[in-house]
Amino acid sequence: HGRGLGVERQRRECLALADSLGWSVHDFYVDNDVSAYSGRRRDGFERLLVDIADRRVTGLIAWDSDRLTRSPIDLERLIVLLRRRRVLLHSVTSGRIDLTTAAGRMFARAMGAVAVYESDHKSERAKSKSHELALAGAPTTGGIYRPYGYQTDRVTVDPVEAAVVRE
């Protein structure tokens, strides 16, 4: 569903950081609506890796390191390429992340571990809440779509749609 407001805000802040560093921005790598945690292929991320390997990227700015990846495997792929190609990495929230040093790599990996934990913990809370609602016989609240046959409160039966369901 189109580019979100959060993505636009992050883009503006990344552009401001690039400007403060005196960098020219030549491309954006966006995987809007595809979570860095999901495990699904992220075309923008994969294109970024190719462009780094092909030396088309000399500096990289992310709003936060967890916007790049929440996968330890993808983080290692990124670290290896950025180090090999000597690409500078900055984030709006953390500043320069120096992957040429052991401390910088440890910082990147620690931030990656925190991001994975946050995603895992959020998922556990959501599953627990859904289970609690189901046991109470309450309607689920997540998502943007209402169940077919019900009105937007997800409880009141829609007579027209209910007739279709019964049919």
Side-chain angles (χ1 to χ4, degrees), residues 49-153:
L49 295 180
V50 168
D51 286 354
I52 292 169
D54 291 345
R55 301 184 190 275
R56 286 191 288 271
V57 172
T58 57
L60 178 61
I61 294 176
W63 187 81
D64 189 79
S65 59
D66 72 358
R67 301 293 85 196
L68 283 171
T69 181
R70 288 190 179 186
S71 157
I73 293 168
D74 284 346
L75 177 60
E76 287 304 317
R77 292 170 63 203
L78 185 63
I79 288 172
V80 166
L81 270 173
L82 293 174
R83 282 184 69 198
R84 184 180 306 143
R85 296 297 188 232
R86 295 195 169 119
V87 173
L88 299 175
L89 175 60
H90 284 261
S91 97
V92 170
T93 60
S94 302
R96 182 170 184 231
I97 303 170
D98 186 355
L99 298 176
T100 65
T101 67
R105 291 188 299 277
M106 183 215 45
F107 175 77
R109 290 176 179 124
M111 293 302 292
V114 168
V116 169
Y117 166 76
E118 288 175 348
S119 293
D120 286 347
H121 192 57
K122 181 179 176 183
S123 176
E124 287 173 350
R125 286 194 320 267
K127 287 176 185 173
S128 177
K129 180 64 175 180
S130 291
H131 184 73
E132 177 184 35
L133 290 170
L135 289 175
T140 58
T141 57
I144 60 174
Y145 302 107
R146 64 175 172 79
Y148 186 80
Y150 292 91
Q151 294 181 0
T152 56
D153 65 2

